[in-house]
Amino acid sequence: MAYDETSQQKRLAARLIGVGGALPKQVVTNDELAARLDTSDEWIRTRTGIRQRHLVSGDEGAVSLARDAAKRALENAGKTAADVEAIIVATSTPDQVFPSVAVRVQAALGMERGFGFDVSAACSGFVYALSMADSLIRSGQAASVLVIGVEVFSRLLDWEDRSTCVLFGDGAGAVLLEKGAGEGEGILSTHLHSDGRLGDLLYVDGAVGCCSGKVALKMQGREVFRHAVVNLAAAVDEALETNGLKGSDIQWMVPHQANLRIIDGMAKKLALPSDRVVVTVDRHANTSAASIPLALAEAVEDGRIKKGDLVLMEALGGGLTWGSALVRM
Ligand code: UT7
């Protein structure tokens, strides 16, 4: 939704004050996958843009990655865990069914107050969580919210299925939102969509107590690609129209990192030059709910995205779910 703001709502609008990312230590290249699977670096690079991915090893997991990304976001914002009132974690790969990753991170950060919960919206999870956090702040329920996207998709993959296992990676990204955005600053709009009729295009069986078969991600890649192109284009139009903007007003696109061909298509639609699009899919592969905050963290930390820049985020994933967020940094 977008906001027809009263002065009360303006006072509570959310601004983004810190970002941080965390990646597992282990890097696996396409060539390493090709050594044990019927695939090639050439196929993976030309079809997806991916060159390598980070995968968890040892005691790394969703909570440790989320905690590390959250710590960096707090540091980047000049805040401590004592300043945080709520944590929302977008993930499809928690370490446990419950408690949520969010409350584990709450404890890991040493927080003694507030609340936390997880959001399940697959690769669109970060946009969904950002929207929930914005609503909590606007409604006055929390003055500052950590929003984290974390995934350990390596747990969901069939490592013998070349059509899926080469596509994903593990990682986490976090942002800190705080109430009190100035005029035209902070989260300007979020738009969320889902169509459950398309649930079988991208899914993972294996809930507790059912589906005794192997837990593995299944995707009809070509169909998902087709829906991504159509739905993301519509989502971008919706975000622009709601805010009375043109494509040329967008300074940065920070898209979900599933496939370089989809990202390039969206950039072309906005007539954005490639150096205004943040791309990490080459090094991170598809980290699902973590991909947008990881990419944002990289571009803020290396100085590309600056305060005052207008940033468009968009994502599509299993559900199908999709959506956008427009943020003035
Ligand atoms: O993040 C959630 C949202 N996800 C997405 O947005 C992903 C959307 N989909 C995609 O990015 C692409 O559809 C893929 C990258 C998954 C696949 O690319 P594609 O160009 O759509 O390829 P395809 O699935 O149509 O497969 C083409 C060929 C097939 O062989 P035949 O049937 O033409 O002989 C596959 O068997 O490529 C073959 N293939 C592979 N070959 C080498 C599939 N995977 C591989 C592989 N290595 N890893």
Side-chain angles (χ1 to χ4, degrees):
M1 63 176 289
Y3 303 98
D4 184 13
E5 294 171 324
T6 63
S7 57
Q8 163 79 353
Q9 283 167 331
K10 264 186 194 141
R11 196 170 56 77
L12 293 174
R15 62 198 184 107
L16 199 161
I17 60 166
V19 290
L23 288 161
K25 288 187 281 296
Q26 179 188 205
V27 174
V28 177
T29 63
N30 292 345
D31 282 334
E32 286 174 88
L33 292 183
R36 53 184 156 93
L37 205 62
D38 181 17
T39 187
S40 65
D41 174 55
E42 208 261 334
W43 190 95
I44 302 170
R45 263 191 302 104
T46 52
R47 299 285 174 139
T48 70
I50 297 166
R51 288 191 282 113
Q52 61 171 50
R53 70 285 295 137
H54 291 249
L55 301 179
V56 292
S57 59
D59 56 5
E60 291 171 327
V63 171
S64 65
L65 288 170
R67 175 203 61 205
D68 291 352
K71 280 186 175 171
R72 279 181 201 128
L74 287 171
E75 243 172 64
N76 182 266
K79 300 280 181 183
T80 70
D83 299 311
V84 178
E85 294 189 359
I87 301 177
I88 307 179
V89 174
T91 189
S92 300
T93 47
D95 294 337
Q96 297 171 293
V97 173
F98 68 83
S100 62
V101 175
V103 301
R104 292 292 192 196
V105 171
Q106 183 189 27
L109 293 176
M111 283 170 61
E112 292 174 2
R113 62 172 192 142
F115 61 95
F117 61 95
D118 291 0
V119 166
S120 168
C123 297
S124 312
F126 180 74
V127 173
Y128 271 62
L130 197 69
S131 183
M132 295 306 105
D134 185 39
S135 301
L136 286 177
I137 289 174
R138 285 178 186 272
S139 68
Q141 285 194 72
S144 59
V145 185
L146 258 175
V147 183
I148 306 170
V150 61
E151 299 290 9
V152 188
F153 257 48
S154 55
R155 290 177 182 151
L156 297 181
L157 300 169
D158 174 353
W159 286 99
E160 282 163 20
D161 176 8
R162 67 175 185 173
S163 70
T164 53
C165 76
V166 302
L167 304 174
F168 295 92
D170 303 333
V175 302
L176 182 63
L177 298 185
E178 191 180 71
K179 76 170 186 187
E183 184 76 31
E185 185 196 23
I187 311 247
L188 305 183
S189 67
T190 59
H191 288 93
L192 306 180
H193 298 278
S194 66
D195 185 346
R197 294 169 300 177
L198 303 172
D200 289 341
L201 295 185
L202 174 49
Y203 67 91
V204 180
D205 279 333
V208 174
C210 76
C211 321
S212 57
K214 190 156 128 186
V215 174
L217 179 145
K218 306 260 192 258
M219 176 164 70
Q220 293 179 38
R222 223 176 282 183
E223 273 300 289
V224 175
F225 192 104
R226 197 173 63 77
H227 284 286
V229 170
V230 173
N231 292 335
L232 290 174
V236 166
D237 284 341
E238 182 181 40
L240 293 175
E241 202 180 312
T242 306
N243 291 281
L245 296 169
K246 304 183 295 298
S248 55
D249 294 320
I250 302 298
Q251 286 162 297
W252 290 98
M253 186 168 81
V254 183
H256 169 48
Q257 311 278 325
N259 188 315
L260 192 56
R261 289 184 287 147
I262 299 174
I263 295 172
D264 285 346
M266 285 309 123
K268 206 163 158 195
K269 177 178 165 51
L270 289 166
L272 264 185
S274 57
D275 62 358
R276 289 272 148 183
V277 181
V278 182
V279 173
T280 54
V281 68
D282 53 335
R283 287 156 294 125
H284 301 171
N286 181 346
T287 56
S288 188
S291 85
I292 290 178
L294 260 172
L296 184 68
E298 185 175 281
V300 168
E301 280 172 9
D302 70 19
R304 274 177 290 167
I305 296 185
K306 297 188 172 57
K307 189 157 173 51
D309 285 351
L310 186 59
V311 177
L312 176 68
M313 307 172 195
E314 41 86 341
L316 176 135
L320 292 182
T321 54
W322 66 98
S324 72
L326 198 62
V327 180
R328 176 80 67 187
M329 299 292 289

